[in-house]
Amino acid sequence: MKAEGKRNIWREYQKEIACDHFYYQRSCIRQNFFPASEKTFLKILRDELGKDIYDDPLHTTCTGIGYHTDVVPFDTIQAVVARHFALMTEAGYKNMAISCVTSFGIYSEITETWKEFPEELEKVRKSLKKAIGKEFEVPANIAHASDIIYKFKGEIAEKQQFELINKQTGKPLKIVEHIGCHYSKMFPSKGVGGAEFPHVLSGMIEEWGGEVVDYPERRHCCGFGFRQYMVQSNRGYSLSNSKKKFESMEPYMPDAIVANCPGCNMFLDKWQYTLAEMQGKTYGQNGKGIPVLTYEELAGLVLGYNPWDLGLQMHQIDCEPLLDKMKVPYNPEDKYLGANKKYIGRPEVAACLA
Amino acid sequence: MGKFGFSVMETRTVNFGELDNRLLGYVLENEASFLTCISCGGCTATCSAGNLIDFNVRKINLFLRRCDIESLAREIDKCMLCGKCTLVCPRDINIRNVVMLIKKGIVKFRNE
Amino acid sequence: MGKSIVTIGGGIAGIEASGILAELGYAVSVIEKEPDFGGKLKNWDHLFPNMRKAEEIEDYLSRKGKTPGITLFPNTTIASFENIKSGFVLKSNHGVSYSAHAVIVATGFEVFSAERKEEYGYKIYDNVITSADLEKRLKSGTPLTTLAGKTPQRIAFIHCVGSRDAKVGNTYCSKVCCVTGVKQAIEVNKLLPATQIFNFYMDLRMHGLEHEEIYKTAQEKHNIQFIRGRLSEVSENIDHSLLIKAEDTLSGRPLKMNVDLVVLLVGMEPGVGTTAIGKACNIEFNQYGYLKIPDVHLAGNLTSRKGIFVAGSCSCPMSVKDTIEHARSAAFEVHRYLIEN
């Protein structure tokens, strides 16, 4: 592997990411499965980096899931996106920070459509005005939330409490990075580092002391695919693609996986449980699974946040082996206690993982 | 009927003159880029579905050109429209649009 | 006769055309941006179709370059180009003026930059090389190994890299890569008889008397295996071998294979020199960025401007043999033009 070759490609794919004053667009899935990740993102931006970011209670789903499963037509999703732009405009913001990779893909697809077909933009402007009396500006900058963390990875490193280093061996942690398809496979120029060798997550990992695992199926999709998992009988596609990735990364003995897409995070975590149940097979070290983190969780660990405040107890695969390697302190008894110290329940553990 | 122990055999020959090429015409008219397919198989190599099930996106071209609508209808249903084939195609064919047109065309000509 | 000619480019075409014109009595100045002459020929080991050493042609050209009447100007580029009544005045980067009754553009081609096919991992994975790299390695005579020094057990040659590919903007066939791939496969088999060799192709364009014979020899005598399928991607395994994916189109199934070395058969592209000179001389380009010839059958050496001629692969992809023939016809066209004018 030649690092110089990758750096040459990364130079080709540098995107403009706004510095401050963001309008935050949340994700449907992440608010349910990784609720603390978005909270952590806001905390990092506001408290660590001193940025202004507006978390608007008025915005809704982008309807991307419906769009990609053919339930929501293009005209409808355009109107929903236009409404979000109108909310952003009303709130006095120009830069979008998008939590979900599919939403990011949707916003990119629609704004690109408007560039190619200005008549669509005019149509949407008219419909939105007619329906709810709102007008909007197209954002000056659209960034995925991971782009913003990437941009400020150096500032985060300056405040770093824990390095991505295995304190037991002194070696960098081996971390698999996985980007969502809708992040840069649709528009390579809209992702940091492009689609083939994306840099958005690998940049963070390297900056914070870890080592990126480059395994053969690194580029392969996690298998999520709205058309796959929505229909129960099709979920085998989803599972089999994840399995292909786990098998390919297993020989490298990764310490963790980090992803920037709601679906990838969810399925790379939960399919490990499913595969353990179905086939009695695990892919991590010591017969365990491989912990799967969001980039906010990773940044939070690096900054020394309490793992349970980061929501790591919501994961199907236990993160404690990773915390132990990093020597991050945690209280095991607090793991399944909510804000009011009330027991919140625990994920089921596969027989072979127990 | 007499029992001869053998039978009249039907020809397997593709008879170009008798093919119903309405669907082919419809697809090519609406997605002219498909004219340029060279059957290189880049699409099938990268296909999300074809890696796991018996689905060959390259053969869509063949079935369409041989007007084998039955095989085509069976094959096209396995596509998940992820678009990876379109990304790798060296002829820059909008394969996803071809699939959509075939789906539309099959219904259209079945009813005609 | 006393008429003078400037040839821009001192590769195969430039030297060959200039040598003939010097023999006919013209004063020819050959402008070459590199310190030495012969173009890319010095990088090639053996030439198809007869596997002759490229050095033989180099020696021939070096003798040709010494023809009385030729003056060679290495390390020289053209800074300006001007029309005058009797022809042209060209100024070099060294401030030297050359007046010419006719100009031959022989700026050649560039090898496709394989890193632009990002999914093939050239310059990223240790053991992905191009056909041009392999040619240099064969010529150097060092043992053909992986970067770690291991003898490759399996090698894949990938056809049509940077050619016939709308995604990189080159829709044309580069014409020489098919035969180069099969030639190199044979050469590697001779060096490493125990190594399995696969050629992944879309169409094999082994035209003419000799090329088809090379193909047949590769099958008969060298056990080269041909798989009809275009590569979708290359990735690296933990042992630095490479995982390649294609469709085995004849069996209709996706195929993956671990190989120790991948050789990308890179195509030809018009060079930056061709683009710059074409613009400076104000002559037209074709849709692919090569210099445009006005009539493919009857005026293969003319350009859109009178008195400016084209020789070699700055007009389209050409083999060494085609280039020499094209240069000879360029010399003839220039001679005819100078007699008539």
Side-chain angles (χ1 to χ4, degrees):
Chain A
M1 188 73 63
K2 295 165 186 153
E4 183 55 30
K6 278 194 181 179
R7 279 194 286 274
N8 283 336
I9 285 193
W10 293 334
R11 270 196 285 276
E12 296 270 315
Y13 295 101
Q14 287 303 316
K15 65 183 271 189
E16 206 192 319
I17 303 163
C19 281
D20 203 351
H21 307 297
F22 301 101
Y23 180 89
Y24 196 37
Q25 176 77 31
R26 282 178 177 256
S27 149
C28 309
I29 293 178
R30 303 183 88 217
Q31 289 183 68
N32 290 290
F33 288 94
F34 309 96
S37 283
E38 294 190 336
K39 190 175 157 239
T40 304
F41 179 72
L42 293 172
K43 182 175 157 67
I44 292 174
L45 254 73
R46 287 173 181 155
D47 301 351
E48 307 286 350
L49 304 169
K51 302 292 175 190
D52 164 39
I53 180 162
Y54 183 54
D55 184 20
D56 190 348
L58 292 176
H59 91 67
T60 64
T61 169
C62 74
T63 69
I65 297 177
Y67 175 60
H68 286 298
T69 43
D70 281 350
V71 179
V72 172
F74 186 64
D75 282 339
T76 309
I77 195 166
Q78 275 199 108
V80 173
V81 165
R83 178 178 169 273
H84 290 152
F85 289 164
L87 292 174
M88 182 196 74
T89 307
E90 282 171 8
Y93 286 86
K94 289 189 163 119
N95 304 320
M96 274 251 162
I98 302 170
S99 172
C100 167
V101 151
T102 287
S103 296
F104 178 74
I106 294 286
Y107 283 86
S108 303
E109 182 181 339
I110 288 175
T111 49
E112 284 302 301
T113 303
W114 291 345
K115 279 184 205 159
E116 301 284 332
F117 306 95
E119 64 275 16
E120 286 292 317
L121 175 58
E122 286 318 304
K123 194 172 81 184
V124 176
R125 284 194 193 283
K126 269 187 206 149
S127 328
L128 196 73
K129 181 87 182 156
K130 200 170 151 191
I132 55 169
K134 283 188 193 292
E135 290 177 1
F136 66 91
E137 300 289 326
V138 178
N141 188 273
I142 295 179
H144 185 254
S146 61
D147 293 334
I148 297 167
I149 296 289
Y150 172 84
K151 186 179 176 92
F152 298 113
K153 61 187 185 303
E155 283 84 342
I156 291 171
E158 282 169 19
K159 301 188 165 202
Q160 191 161 4
Q161 304 287 318
F162 296 94
E163 286 176 302
L164 299 180
I165 285 180
N166 185 338
K167 295 277 169 60
Q168 294 153 4
T169 63
K171 288 187 177 156
L173 289 171
K174 284 183 280 183
I175 301 181
V176 161
E177 51 90 33
H178 179 85
I179 64 148
C181 294
H182 293 180
Y183 173 70
S184 65
K185 285 183 192 166
M186 290 159 70
F187 299 99
S189 62
K190 296 196 183 298
V192 176
E196 299 290 343
F197 299 95
H199 194 219
V200 62
L201 297 176
S202 59
M204 295 178 204
I205 294 166
E206 285 165 2
E207 183 83 29
W208 302 333
E211 185 185 306
V212 176
V213 176
D214 204 335
Y215 61 109
E217 296 293 355
R218 179 182 49 78
R219 281 174 275 204
H220 201 77
C221 164
C222 76
F224 179 134
F226 299 100
R227 283 156 203 279
Q228 284 101 296
Y229 88 96
M230 280 295 192
V231 180
Q232 190 181 17
S233 59
N234 283 355
R235 282 182 200 154
Y237 279 112
S238 194
L239 178 67
S240 309
N241 281 304
S242 286
K243 184 180 177 214
K244 192 174 191 173
K245 289 185 76 74
F246 295 137
E247 280 179 344
S248 176
M249 70 178 78
E250 188 183 15
Y252 297 79
M253 297 194 285
D255 298 300
I257 299 171
V258 60
N260 74 344
C261 166
C264 306
N265 267 114
M266 180 164 87
F267 281 121
L268 290 173
D269 185 34
K270 301 199 188 314
W271 286 145
Q272 289 192 66
Y273 160 81
T274 311
L275 288 166
E277 286 283 23
M278 277 184 175
Q279 303 190 321
K281 168 74 186 159
T282 55
Y283 296 91
Q285 293 156 33
N286 306 319
K288 305 266 190 194
I290 309 168
V292 185
L293 303 183
T294 68
Y295 53 94
E296 294 107 326
E297 289 167 350
L298 189 74
L301 284 180
V302 159
L303 286 166
Y305 296 178
N306 180 339
W308 311 143
D309 290 345
L310 290 171
L312 299 188
Q313 65 275 49
M314 302 297 285
H315 291 208
Q316 200 91 31
I317 300 297
D318 288 336
C319 294
E320 283 88 336
L322 177 68
L323 303 178
D324 293 341
K325 286 175 195 165
M326 288 174 73
K327 290 249 159 70
V328 169
Y330 59 92
N331 184 352
E333 285 162 21
D334 292 346
K335 186 172 181 183
Y336 297 111
L337 299 184
N340 49 7
K341 300 282 171 195
K342 202 174 145 194
Y343 179 62
I344 56 168
R346 57 189 301 159
E348 208 162 303
V349 179
C352 81
L353 287 171
Chain B
M1 259 195 277
K3 286 188 179 154
F4 290 91
F6 55 88
S7 60
V8 176
M9 294 163 86
E10 296 300 330
T11 178
R12 286 186 70 241
T13 311
V14 176
N15 187 344
F16 259 81
E18 286 182 8
L19 297 180
D20 173 4
N21 59 11
R22 289 177 301 164
L23 183 59
L24 174 65
Y26 170 75
V27 172
L28 293 179
E29 194 181 308
N30 290 287
E31 186 51 65
S33 67
F34 200 42
L35 281 165
T36 64
C37 174
I38 47 173
S39 295
C40 71
C43 47
T44 307
T46 199
C47 175
S48 306
N51 271 284
L52 296 165
I53 58 165
D54 181 14
F55 169 52
N56 189 317
V57 53
R58 174 182 52 85
K59 285 190 182 168
I60 287 174
N61 182 43
L62 194 65
F63 291 144
L64 189 64
R65 289 191 175 273
R66 301 294 175 266
C67 308
D68 182 355
I69 308 300
E70 217 171 287
S71 304
L72 187 62
R74 201 175 51 238
E75 207 66 7
I76 211 92
D77 264 356
K78 301 173 194 166
C79 170
M80 295 188 291
L81 297 167
C82 73
K84 276 177 83 187
C85 50
T86 307
L87 286 179
V88 302
C89 177
R91 293 289 208 194
D92 216 9
I93 298 168
N94 188 344
I95 302 169
R96 185 150 56 172
N97 193 33
V98 169
V99 173
M100 295 306 288
L101 285 167
I102 292 171
K103 280 177 180 268
K104 272 190 217 165
I106 287 175
V107 176
K108 182 178 153 80
F109 295 114
R110 188 181 288 146
N111 298 336
E112 267 180 20
Chain C
M1 281 182 275
K3 285 190 173 170
S4 57
I5 297 159
V6 168
T7 300
I8 306 167
I12 302 170
I15 296 288
E16 176 68 9
S18 304
I20 295 169
L21 289 162
E23 283 163 11
L24 290 169
Y26 296 100
V28 190
S29 304
V30 182
I31 310 289
E32 170 57 50
K33 66 178 188 319
E34 299 291 329
D36 43 23
F37 292 79
K40 294 188 178 53
L41 198 53
K42 59 181 169 292
N43 301 324
W44 310 151
D45 186 23
H46 288 92
L47 302 179
F48 60 82
N50 57 358
M51 303 289 197
R52 105 177 327 128
K53 288 293 279 182
E55 280 145 22
E56 289 179 27
I57 305 293
E58 268 190 274
D59 292 345
Y60 161 82
L61 288 173
S62 126
R63 286 195 301 277
K64 203 87 182 170
K66 295 192 183 88
T67 311
I70 288 193
T71 319
L72 302 176
F73 296 91
N75 299 310
T76 303
T77 55
I78 295 301
S80 73
F81 188 95
E82 209 186 319
N83 244 16
I84 55 166
K85 204 176 165 202
S86 64
F88 311 94
V89 174
L90 294 84
K91 267 209 184 88
S92 79
N93 55 334
H94 305 301
V96 180
S97 285
Y98 304 88
S99 57
H101 295 93
V103 170
I104 299 176
V105 181
T107 42
F109 69 97
E110 292 297 335
V111 171
F112 173 75
S113 303
E115 54 268 47
R116 276 166 55 201
K117 282 303 278 179
E118 286 171 30
E119 61 270 39
Y120 292 171
Y122 180 61
K123 289 201 175 162
I124 289 181
Y125 301 133
D126 292 342
N127 296 309
V128 177
I129 63 171
T130 66
S131 43
D133 298 334
L134 177 62
E135 204 65 30
K136 279 183 205 159
R137 284 170 76 163
L138 292 171
K139 185 161 186 165
S140 73
T142 51
L144 184 61
T145 62
T146 65
L147 195 74
K150 182 188 153 204
T151 299
Q153 300 300 298
R154 198 181 281 154
I155 298 179
F157 285 85
I158 314 303
H159 289 244
C160 295
V161 177
S163 307
R164 307 178 70 206
D165 186 353
K167 292 283 150 63
V168 298
N170 295 340
T171 52
Y172 54 86
C173 166
S174 290
K175 209 162 98 172
V176 301
C177 339
C178 273
V179 62
T180 300
V182 181
K183 176 199 84 117
Q184 290 186 337
I186 292 174
E187 289 173 314
V188 172
N189 170 259
K190 285 182 184 165
L191 286 174
L192 309 169
T195 301
Q196 284 187 309
I197 301 173
F198 294 86
N199 282 48
F200 286 81
Y201 68 99
M202 302 202 287
D203 300 291
L204 268 185
R205 299 185 164 177
M206 309 298 285
H207 54 271
L209 303 182
E210 294 100 347
H211 295 186
E212 185 65 19
E213 194 59 38
I214 296 175
Y215 179 23
K216 196 162 156 242
T217 307
Q219 293 174 298
E220 264 177 351
K221 304 221 165 81
H222 302 281
N223 199 25
I224 313 294
Q225 300 185 61
F226 292 87
I227 296 182
R228 190 186 175 282
R230 182 175 176 78
L231 220 63
S232 62
E233 63 180 282
V234 179
S235 38
E236 198 176 66
N237 291 311
I238 195 161
D239 62 357
H240 299 279
S241 66
L242 299 153
L243 173 68
I244 58 175
K245 293 179 185 170
E247 186 199 352
D248 178 11
T249 56
L250 301 179
S251 74
R253 292 176 59 187
L255 171 150
K256 64 176 184 177
M257 185 186 275
N258 283 330
V259 298
D260 300 303
L261 197 64
V262 166
V263 183
L264 305 174
L265 295 164
V266 282
M268 290 182 168
E269 284 193 323
V272 281
T274 301
T275 312
I277 293 296
K279 280 185 184 157
C281 306
N282 197 22
I283 50 178
E284 288 174 22
F285 297 90
N286 64 24
Q287 58 172 312
Y288 309 108
Y290 290 95
L291 297 177
K292 188 175 175 179
I293 49 168
D295 184 321
V296 68
H297 289 110
L298 302 174
N301 295 101
L302 307 193
T303 66
S304 58
R305 279 187 70 181
K306 230 177 128 184
I308 303 179
F309 298 83
V310 63
S313 56
C314 54
S315 65
C316 69
M318 281 182 199
S319 64
V320 172
K321 173 176 166 287
D322 293 348
T323 302
I324 291 172
E325 284 167 8
H326 196 245
R328 288 176 180 177
S329 69
F332 169 73
E333 290 284 6
V334 172
H335 181 51
R336 181 162 71 179
Y337 169 80
L338 291 176
I339 288 170
E340 287 171 2
N341 292 275

